[in-house]
Amino acid sequence: MEVFGNYIDIYDMTQAVEDGATRPVYYESRVVKLNLDEETLKRIDEEYEVLAEEADPAAIEKSKKMLGGLDAVLSNDTTINSLVHDILHHYENTRANYLTGKAMIVAYDRKCAMKIYQKILENHPDWTEKVKVVMTEGKKDPAEWHEVVGNKAYRDKLASAFKDDKSEFKIAIVVDMWLTGFDVPSLSTMYIYKPMSGHNLMQAIARVNRVFEDKEGGLIVDYIGIATALKQAMNDYTTRDKKNYGDPDINKQAYPKFKEKLGVCKDLLYGYDYSSFFTGDKQKMTEAILGAVNYFMAPDKEEDRNDFLKQAVLLKNALSLCASLATDDERYHASFIETVRVMISRLVNPGVGKISLPEINKRINDLIKQSVKSDGVINLFADKGETYSLFNPAFIEEVARMKHKNLAVEVLKKLLEEQIKIYRKSNVVQSQKFSEIMQRSLNEYLNGMLTNQQVIDELLRMAEEMRKVQQEGNSLNLSVEEKAFYDALTRPEAVKDFYSNDKLIALTRELTDTLRKNRTVDWQKKEFARAKMRNIIRRLLRKYKYPPEEAEGATKTVIEQCELWADNAI
């Protein structure tokens, strides 16, 4: 700065988070869980003071002597047992099911890393693929370490596996490796059992601040007392960072936010009794979930429903950081709220994707297991493995009998919308027909002209019509695309009075075959190609003397269907 002057621009942590380039980092202290005595804690604090002056050779020498004394305490079997017991409790109860479950344990030294690894496998012998030690091999290493540590090729393989979100490798035990320049976006948890300070500490904790899906932030779990060092490191950043991230303690940041959002969500549920969810009975829990979804799906609850969805997401995000601090009662309530949110989102949000009730069942079951330790699968529709679709009579019957009518309306609406979306890409006639029927029925329902039972009956009739359309194509021995052309050709009711069905089917097949042979890759972009295709269609229709004089507008529908097919065919 003496040579070049003050900073021209500063790109700090605050800006990086605001730009979406990184996520915030939060801190949780669990030093007390190790039952370290006051003398040891004091010596660790002194060690941090020495580390703060690490450029001074005398300070480094003092540090080495101090570390020699700390080694005996921090690598002590009793302390390691306490450490591993608490890490496993914390990980399995609050982090294993968050995002991809990736976590990193920063060990005090190489010997300590191996002890942690061995102790974890003592508790979980089946975790040989789940947890690995990542450190360089040493010439003086005991023989039993060699197979665990491996060579450079093995470490490269481990690096690829840890970056793979679907791999079994979930927990990496490290000492120095992977603490700089190693990015795994889904990594969200770092357990620190090693004195670090300054830029070394900041680089290490940055392993958990990468952006990934709906990751709220990275969580640093402290077993060595880095709080002072972390605050000191923050002082090296801008004033804005100090203000925004100077105290990332989840006790002061995430947990109060979690409690606030939990209260808001409970208020939005005021008027609905979901106490049966806390009985532990699977059927009653299912009933409570379905009832809550039904409560929010009432036409006059749209505003509350939207508020609930927003607040429940904020609740989920806050809990992802402070689950270890929440009481059992708070976690039960949060679990209930999250399961309801998942179902409502799947039902009402555009672009979420096709509804999959077995998927929702699995999601809810996972959430319950994670949050309230309930065993057994919660089935929302007495799932026996059936395919959930409009063309499954057993499923449609079950929806018709549902006690929760608002929910039944949404399930049917979603399924019908999905089928109409398919028709829009393949069958111009059925798409228009069913869109009009559905829009009319839903408008009457929202305007209070139809009760929810009446609109259910209307939607069920529509589902039955769709099933008949599918069955008609099968009975005529026509493929799905051929049936779409057949529907276009026979849309005017008068048409069937002038042609035998055999002739219409022959025209359908020849039309489909002709289009398939004449479609060009760039036809959508060139008007010449489109005009040529229209001429081919018209010539073919004239060959069959189609349409009759009584249905002159029929050609337009056929050409629309042909263009729709050409636009969407692969």
Side-chain angles (χ1 to χ4, degrees):
M1 290 177 72
E2 288 176 1
V3 176
F4 296 105
N6 212 337
Y7 295 115
I8 296 171
D9 187 40
I10 296 173
Y11 191 79
D12 54 19
M13 291 169 60
T14 298
Q15 192 64 51
V17 171
E18 287 177 359
D19 289 348
T22 64
R23 304 301 299 137
V25 175
Y26 295 86
Y27 166 90
E28 177 179 1
S29 174
R30 295 180 77 83
V31 179
V32 292
K33 300 291 182 181
L34 300 186
N35 301 314
L36 296 175
D37 57 58
E38 289 297 322
E39 181 60 29
T40 301
L41 292 172
K42 182 182 176 184
R43 286 163 66 193
I44 291 172
D45 284 340
E46 289 174 1
E47 164 64 11
Y48 278 121
E49 287 177 17
V50 172
L51 284 170
E53 305 163 5
E54 57 189 350
D56 183 348
I60 292 173
E61 196 58 38
K62 182 182 177 185
S63 173
K64 286 179 181 177
K65 290 179 182 177
M66 193 174 294
L67 285 171
L70 282 175
D71 179 77
V73 176
L74 299 180
S75 294
N76 179 279
D77 287 345
T78 303
T79 311
I80 293 294
N81 286 347
S82 298
L83 173 73
V84 170
H85 175 78
D86 195 69
I87 287 177
L88 289 176
H89 175 79
H90 187 278
Y91 176 79
E92 291 182 274
N93 285 281
T94 68
R95 308 305 290 174
N97 293 308
Y98 180 59
L99 301 178
T100 61
K102 300 282 185 182
M104 190 178 280
I105 300 172
V106 185
Y108 174 64
D109 59 16
R110 290 161 51 76
K111 183 172 68 173
C112 189
M114 290 302 298
K115 283 191 171 187
I116 291 170
Y117 174 72
Q118 289 158 357
K119 183 55 65 175
I120 288 176
L121 290 187
E122 276 182 32
N123 285 271
H124 290 287
D126 57 331
W127 278 21
T128 52
E129 295 302 316
K130 190 167 187 172
V131 60
K132 303 284 185 182
V133 176
V134 182
M135 62 186 188
T136 53
E137 66 270 38
K139 292 180 181 178
K140 295 182 180 180
D141 287 348
E144 62 268 20
W145 286 23
H146 295 167
E147 189 178 340
V148 176
V149 175
N151 55 21
K152 185 180 183 304
Y154 175 68
R155 290 193 296 276
D156 289 343
K157 186 179 174 183
L158 289 183
S160 297
F162 202 60
K163 290 180 179 183
D164 179 1
D165 294 332
K166 295 180 180 177
S167 75
E168 291 182 62
F169 182 16
K170 302 296 182 186
I171 303 173
I173 303 171
V174 304
V175 181
D176 296 304
M177 294 190 73
W178 292 6
L179 292 182
T180 59
F182 182 75
D183 287 343
V184 178
S186 67
L187 177 63
S188 61
T189 315
M190 177 178 278
Y191 297 99
I192 293 184
Y193 191 60
K194 177 181 181 176
M196 288 186 286
S197 67
H199 69 275
N200 290 326
L201 176 58
M202 297 311 293
Q203 283 188 319
I205 68 174
R207 297 315 99 211
V208 295
N209 77 350
R210 299 308 186 240
V211 174
F212 181 80
E213 293 180 356
D214 58 352
K215 181 179 181 178
E216 177 69 5
L219 180 63
I220 298 300
V221 185
D222 172 24
Y223 286 99
I224 200 75
I226 62 168
T228 304
L230 191 56
K231 286 180 181 178
Q232 181 61 45
M234 288 292 182
N235 286 333
D236 295 335
Y237 284 77
T238 65
T239 305
R240 187 166 62 155
D241 280 345
K242 242 191 310 186
K243 177 185 174 185
N244 293 335
Y245 303 108
D247 190 356
D249 191 341
I250 57 170
N251 272 292
K252 299 174 184 175
Q253 303 295 333
Y255 189 45
K257 184 178 177 182
F258 163 74
K259 292 206 286 189
E260 176 199 335
K261 297 306 173 187
L262 182 61
V264 172
C265 289
K266 283 182 178 179
D267 287 345
L268 288 166
L269 278 160
Y270 182 77
Y272 173 71
D273 180 9
Y274 56 96
S275 56
S276 58
F277 180 80
F278 306 105
T279 61
D281 180 275
K282 286 190 296 182
Q283 189 58 41
K284 288 179 179 177
M285 293 171 84
T286 303
E287 183 65 24
I289 294 166
L290 292 174
V293 176
N294 188 67
Y295 173 78
F296 279 121
M297 294 319 303
D300 61 346
K301 286 283 181 184
E302 184 177 3
E303 191 175 332
D304 284 351
R305 180 170 70 240
N306 292 336
D307 283 348
F308 177 81
L309 290 174
K310 289 175 188 172
Q311 297 299 326
V313 167
L314 296 173
L315 175 70
K316 180 191 79 161
N317 291 342
L319 182 62
S320 72
L321 296 166
C322 65
S324 62
L325 303 182
T327 65
D328 286 345
D329 183 65
E330 287 170 340
R331 288 169 66 184
Y332 265 71
H333 279 276
S335 174
F336 172 77
I337 288 163
E338 174 61 2
T339 56
V340 174
R341 183 195 70 81
V342 168
M343 276 205 69
I344 295 175
S345 295
R346 181 63 72 171
L347 287 168
V348 304
N349 284 349
V352 169
K354 187 172 182 179
I355 186 169
S356 168
L357 296 176
E359 181 187 341
I360 293 175
N361 286 339
K362 181 182 182 302
R363 181 86 177 268
I364 288 176
N365 192 51
D366 289 345
L367 286 162
I368 302 269
K369 280 185 177 179
Q370 176 188 346
S371 301
V372 299
K373 303 295 175 293
S374 170
D375 294 325
V377 176
I378 290 186
N379 291 316
L380 303 181
F381 289 90
D383 177 18
K384 299 179 182 67
E386 304 99 329
T387 301
Y388 292 101
S389 84
L390 287 172
F391 306 120
N392 181 346
F395 173 63
I396 292 297
E397 235 178 82
E398 189 147 6
V399 173
R401 292 198 306 267
M402 279 179 66
K403 170 185 171 184
H404 305 290
K405 301 304 179 187
N406 295 327
L407 179 55
V409 170
E410 286 302 319
V411 170
L412 284 170
K413 176 184 160 190
K414 186 79 173 179
L415 289 168
L416 289 165
E417 282 173 345
E418 291 294 339
Q419 189 58 40
I420 290 171
K421 197 182 293 180
I422 293 169
Y423 282 143
R424 280 199 196 103
K425 293 182 179 179
S426 60
N427 192 317
V428 68
V429 173
Q430 301 301 343
S431 170
Q432 291 171 355
K433 173 184 172 183
F434 289 124
S435 288
E436 289 167 6
I437 295 172
M438 185 166 176
Q439 199 56 55
R440 186 185 66 246
S441 299
L442 291 176
N443 284 343
E444 290 178 354
Y445 171 59
L446 293 172
N447 291 329
M449 297 165 66
L450 292 177
T451 64
N452 50 17
Q453 184 57 57
Q454 287 172 325
V455 80
I456 287 170
D457 292 339
E458 285 288 317
L459 296 178
L460 287 172
R461 275 194 288 274
M462 190 170 156
E464 181 60 30
E465 277 284 307
M466 287 182 173
R467 195 156 58 248
K468 284 179 180 175
V469 167
Q470 188 187 52
Q471 290 170 347
E472 185 183 3
N474 296 337
S475 65
L476 294 171
N477 200 24
L478 296 173
S479 67
V480 172
E481 62 180 4
E482 288 172 342
K483 178 62 168 61
F485 289 117
Y486 179 84
D487 289 340
L489 289 166
T490 59
R491 183 177 192 179
E493 292 184 11
V495 164
K496 289 190 177 181
D497 294 336
F498 291 88
Y499 308 96
S500 68
N501 207 45
D502 288 344
K503 192 170 184 178
L504 287 168
I505 289 174
L507 172 54
T508 296
R509 290 196 169 125
E510 189 171 347
L511 182 60
T512 310
D513 191 51
T514 300
L515 285 169
R516 198 179 287 120
K517 288 176 180 174
N518 286 279
R519 180 181 182 270
T520 58
V521 174
D522 62 348
W523 95 279
Q524 291 162 294
K525 299 176 184 176
K526 296 184 178 179
E527 183 54 38
F528 171 76
R530 299 178 75 94
K532 182 183 175 184
M533 182 172 279
R534 293 189 199 104
N535 286 333
I536 291 170
I537 295 165
R538 287 194 175 95
R539 280 201 301 272
L540 178 60
L541 295 179
R542 280 199 296 273
K543 173 184 168 183
Y544 282 84
K545 297 179 181 178
Y546 183 97
E549 292 181 6
E550 285 77 2
E552 291 177 1
T555 303
K556 182 183 175 185
T557 303
V558 175
I559 289 177
E560 280 181 20
Q561 174 58 45
C562 292
E563 291 186 341
L564 181 71
W565 175 86
D567 283 338
N568 290 285
I570 296 173

